[in-house]
mmCIF file of all heavy atoms in Angstrom:
data_model
loop_
_atom_site.group_PDB
_atom_site.id
_atom_site.type_symbol
_atom_site.label_atom_id
_atom_site.label_comp_id
_atom_site.label_asym_id
_atom_site.label_seq_id
_atom_site.Cartn_x
_atom_site.Cartn_y
_atom_site.Cartn_z
ATOM 1 N N LEU A 63 15.065 6.079 -6.550
ATOM 2 C CA LEU A 63 15.005 4.882 -7.382
ATOM 3 C C LEU A 63 15.280 5.243 -8.835
ATOM 4 O O LEU A 63 16.060 4.588 -9.508
ATOM 5 C CB LEU A 63 13.646 4.199 -7.238
ATOM 6 C CG LEU A 63 13.248 3.801 -5.809
ATOM 7 C CD1 LEU A 63 11.876 3.145 -5.809
ATOM 8 C CD2 LEU A 63 14.294 2.889 -5.191
ATOM 9 N N VAL A 64 14.590 6.261 -9.314
ATOM 10 C CA VAL A 64 14.839 6.890 -10.616
ATOM 11 C C VAL A 64 14.601 8.376 -10.406
ATOM 12 O O VAL A 64 14.018 8.785 -9.399
ATOM 13 C CB VAL A 64 13.926 6.331 -11.739
ATOM 14 C CG1 VAL A 64 14.139 4.851 -11.959
ATOM 15 C CG2 VAL A 64 12.461 6.614 -11.471
ATOM 16 N N LYS A 65 15.023 9.198 -11.346
ATOM 17 C CA LYS A 65 14.850 10.649 -11.197
ATOM 18 C C LYS A 65 13.371 10.974 -10.950
ATOM 19 O O LYS A 65 12.504 10.540 -11.695
ATOM 20 C CB LYS A 65 15.344 11.366 -12.450
ATOM 21 C CG LYS A 65 15.338 12.862 -12.334
ATOM 22 C CD LYS A 65 16.051 13.493 -13.512
ATOM 23 C CE LYS A 65 15.920 14.998 -13.589
ATOM 24 N NZ LYS A 65 16.046 15.748 -12.407
ATOM 25 N N GLY A 66 13.127 11.693 -9.860
ATOM 26 C CA GLY A 66 11.762 12.089 -9.521
ATOM 27 C C GLY A 66 10.986 11.081 -8.701
ATOM 28 O O GLY A 66 9.822 11.306 -8.395
ATOM 29 N N SER A 67 11.606 9.968 -8.347
ATOM 30 C CA SER A 67 10.934 8.939 -7.545
ATOM 31 C C SER A 67 11.822 8.535 -6.383
ATOM 32 O O SER A 67 12.891 7.952 -6.581
ATOM 33 C CB SER A 67 10.616 7.714 -8.400
ATOM 34 O OG SER A 67 9.662 8.025 -9.380
ATOM 35 N N ASN A 68 11.366 8.878 -5.173
ATOM 36 C CA ASN A 68 12.127 8.586 -3.953
ATOM 37 C C ASN A 68 11.307 7.688 -3.045
ATOM 38 O O ASN A 68 10.114 7.902 -2.866
ATOM 39 C CB ASN A 68 12.482 9.887 -3.233
ATOM 40 C CG ASN A 68 13.467 10.700 -4.036
ATOM 41 O OD1 ASN A 68 14.649 10.401 -4.044
ATOM 42 N ND2 ASN A 68 12.981 11.716 -4.745
ATOM 43 N N SER A 69 12.002 6.704 -2.458
ATOM 44 C CA SER A 69 11.319 5.714 -1.647
ATOM 45 C C SER A 69 11.986 5.522 -0.304
ATOM 46 O O SER A 69 13.199 5.664 -0.167
ATOM 47 C CB SER A 69 11.313 4.376 -2.399
ATOM 48 O OG SER A 69 10.677 3.401 -1.615
ATOM 49 N N ARG A 70 11.176 5.186 0.671
ATOM 50 C CA ARG A 70 11.663 4.715 1.968
ATOM 51 C C ARG A 70 11.418 3.211 1.931
ATOM 52 O O ARG A 70 10.281 2.771 1.800
ATOM 53 C CB ARG A 70 10.930 5.407 3.099
ATOM 54 C CG ARG A 70 11.177 6.916 3.088
ATOM 55 C CD ARG A 70 10.339 7.631 4.128
ATOM 56 N NE ARG A 70 10.252 9.053 3.902
ATOM 57 C CZ ARG A 70 11.206 9.946 4.120
ATOM 58 N NH1 ARG A 70 12.368 9.566 4.582
ATOM 59 N NH2 ARG A 70 11.005 11.234 3.890
ATOM 60 N N LEU A 71 12.501 2.441 1.984
ATOM 61 C CA LEU A 71 12.430 1.002 1.776
ATOM 62 C C LEU A 71 12.547 0.230 3.085
ATOM 63 O O LEU A 71 13.380 0.558 3.931
ATOM 64 C CB LEU A 71 13.566 0.563 0.847
ATOM 65 C CG LEU A 71 13.529 1.149 -0.560
ATOM 66 C CD1 LEU A 71 14.871 0.968 -1.250
ATOM 67 C CD2 LEU A 71 12.421 0.505 -1.371
ATOM 68 N N VAL A 72 11.717 -0.781 3.223
ATOM 69 C CA VAL A 72 11.791 -1.696 4.356
ATOM 70 C C VAL A 72 11.821 -3.100 3.772
ATOM 71 O O VAL A 72 10.973 -3.465 2.963
ATOM 72 C CB VAL A 72 10.575 -1.545 5.303
ATOM 73 C CG1 VAL A 72 10.649 -2.545 6.444
ATOM 74 C CG2 VAL A 72 10.466 -0.121 5.833
ATOM 75 N N SER A 73 12.832 -3.882 4.194
ATOM 76 C CA SER A 73 12.969 -5.219 3.646
ATOM 77 C C SER A 73 13.098 -6.242 4.759
ATOM 78 O O SER A 73 13.806 -6.035 5.735
ATOM 79 C CB SER A 73 14.212 -5.288 2.748
ATOM 80 O OG SER A 73 14.302 -6.562 2.168
ATOM 81 N N GLY A 74 12.395 -7.340 4.570
ATOM 82 C CA GLY A 74 12.573 -8.514 5.401
ATOM 83 C C GLY A 74 13.351 -9.531 4.593
ATOM 84 O O GLY A 74 13.886 -9.208 3.526
ATOM 85 N N GLU A 75 13.393 -10.754 5.073
ATOM 86 C CA GLU A 75 14.095 -11.793 4.329
ATOM 87 C C GLU A 75 13.310 -12.245 3.104
ATOM 88 O O GLU A 75 13.895 -12.615 2.092
ATOM 89 C CB GLU A 75 14.345 -13.002 5.239
ATOM 90 C CG GLU A 75 15.389 -12.741 6.307
ATOM 91 C CD GLU A 75 15.628 -13.955 7.182
ATOM 92 O OE1 GLU A 75 15.387 -15.093 6.710
ATOM 93 O OE2 GLU A 75 16.049 -13.762 8.333
ATOM 94 N N GLN A 76 11.977 -12.204 3.178
ATOM 95 C CA GLN A 76 11.161 -12.768 2.108
ATOM 96 C C GLN A 76 10.241 -11.772 1.417
ATOM 97 O O GLN A 76 9.505 -12.144 0.498
ATOM 98 C CB GLN A 76 10.335 -13.924 2.654
ATOM 99 C CG GLN A 76 11.201 -15.048 3.171
ATOM 100 C CD GLN A 76 10.378 -16.193 3.702
ATOM 101 O OE1 GLN A 76 9.216 -16.353 3.373
ATOM 102 N NE2 GLN A 76 10.991 -17.012 4.533
ATOM 103 N N SER A 77 10.232 -10.518 1.846
ATOM 104 C CA SER A 77 9.375 -9.528 1.203
ATOM 105 C C SER A 77 9.969 -8.140 1.392
ATOM 106 O O SER A 77 10.879 -7.938 2.204
ATOM 107 C CB SER A 77 7.951 -9.581 1.771
ATOM 108 O OG SER A 77 7.964 -9.346 3.157
ATOM 109 N N MET A 78 9.448 -7.191 0.631
ATOM 110 C CA MET A 78 9.935 -5.814 0.690
ATOM 111 C C MET A 78 8.748 -4.884 0.456
ATOM 112 O O MET A 78 7.837 -5.217 -0.304
ATOM 113 C CB MET A 78 10.993 -5.582 -0.392
ATOM 114 C CG MET A 78 11.452 -4.137 -0.549
ATOM 115 S SD MET A 78 12.689 -3.944 -1.868
ATOM 116 C CE MET A 78 14.174 -4.051 -0.872
ATOM 117 N N ILE A 79 8.791 -3.722 1.122
ATOM 118 C CA ILE A 79 7.793 -2.689 0.869
ATOM 119 C C ILE A 79 8.514 -1.379 0.581
ATOM 120 O O ILE A 79 9.538 -1.072 1.184
ATOM 121 C CB ILE A 79 6.782 -2.545 2.035
ATOM 122 C CG1 ILE A 79 5.647 -1.597 1.647
ATOM 123 C CG2 ILE A 79 7.473 -2.118 3.322
ATOM 124 C CD1 ILE A 79 4.428 -1.700 2.545
ATOM 125 N N SER A 80 7.966 -0.658 -0.375
ATOM 126 C CA SER A 80 8.520 0.624 -0.788
ATOM 127 C C SER A 80 7.447 1.683 -0.575
ATOM 128 O O SER A 80 6.346 1.570 -1.113
ATOM 129 C CB SER A 80 8.902 0.545 -2.272
ATOM 130 O OG SER A 80 9.125 1.817 -2.813
ATOM 131 N N PHE A 81 7.751 2.691 0.246
ATOM 132 C CA PHE A 81 6.863 3.838 0.435
ATOM 133 C C PHE A 81 7.377 4.904 -0.521
ATOM 134 O O PHE A 81 8.340 5.599 -0.230
ATOM 135 C CB PHE A 81 6.890 4.309 1.895
ATOM 136 C CG PHE A 81 6.411 3.251 2.847
ATOM 137 C CD1 PHE A 81 7.306 2.396 3.484
ATOM 138 C CD2 PHE A 81 5.057 3.080 3.095
ATOM 139 C CE1 PHE A 81 6.869 1.416 4.348
ATOM 140 C CE2 PHE A 81 4.609 2.102 3.970
ATOM 141 C CZ PHE A 81 5.521 1.268 4.599
ATOM 142 N N LEU A 82 6.753 4.998 -1.677
ATOM 143 C CA LEU A 82 7.288 5.735 -2.816
ATOM 144 C C LEU A 82 6.532 7.027 -3.065
ATOM 145 O O LEU A 82 5.301 7.047 -3.070
ATOM 146 C CB LEU A 82 7.197 4.834 -4.060
ATOM 147 C CG LEU A 82 7.658 5.369 -5.392
ATOM 148 C CD1 LEU A 82 9.154 5.674 -5.370
ATOM 149 C CD2 LEU A 82 7.351 4.350 -6.491
ATOM 150 N N LYS A 83 7.292 8.106 -3.282
ATOM 151 C CA LYS A 83 6.720 9.386 -3.707
ATOM 152 C C LYS A 83 7.277 9.687 -5.084
ATOM 153 O O LYS A 83 8.487 9.759 -5.271
ATOM 154 C CB LYS A 83 7.088 10.508 -2.741
ATOM 155 C CG LYS A 83 6.519 11.856 -3.160
ATOM 156 C CD LYS A 83 6.954 12.927 -2.162
ATOM 157 C CE LYS A 83 6.922 14.294 -2.755
ATOM 158 N NZ LYS A 83 7.961 14.575 -3.718
#
Side-chain angles (χ1 to χ4, degrees):
L63 303 180
V64 299
K65 186 171 171 42
S67 294
N68 292 282
S69 179
R70 297 174 197 286
L71 297 164
V72 178
S73 183
E75 289 181 26
Q76 298 180 21
S77 59
M78 173 181 265
I79 188 163
S80 165
F81 298 94
L82 179 64
K83 179 181 157 288

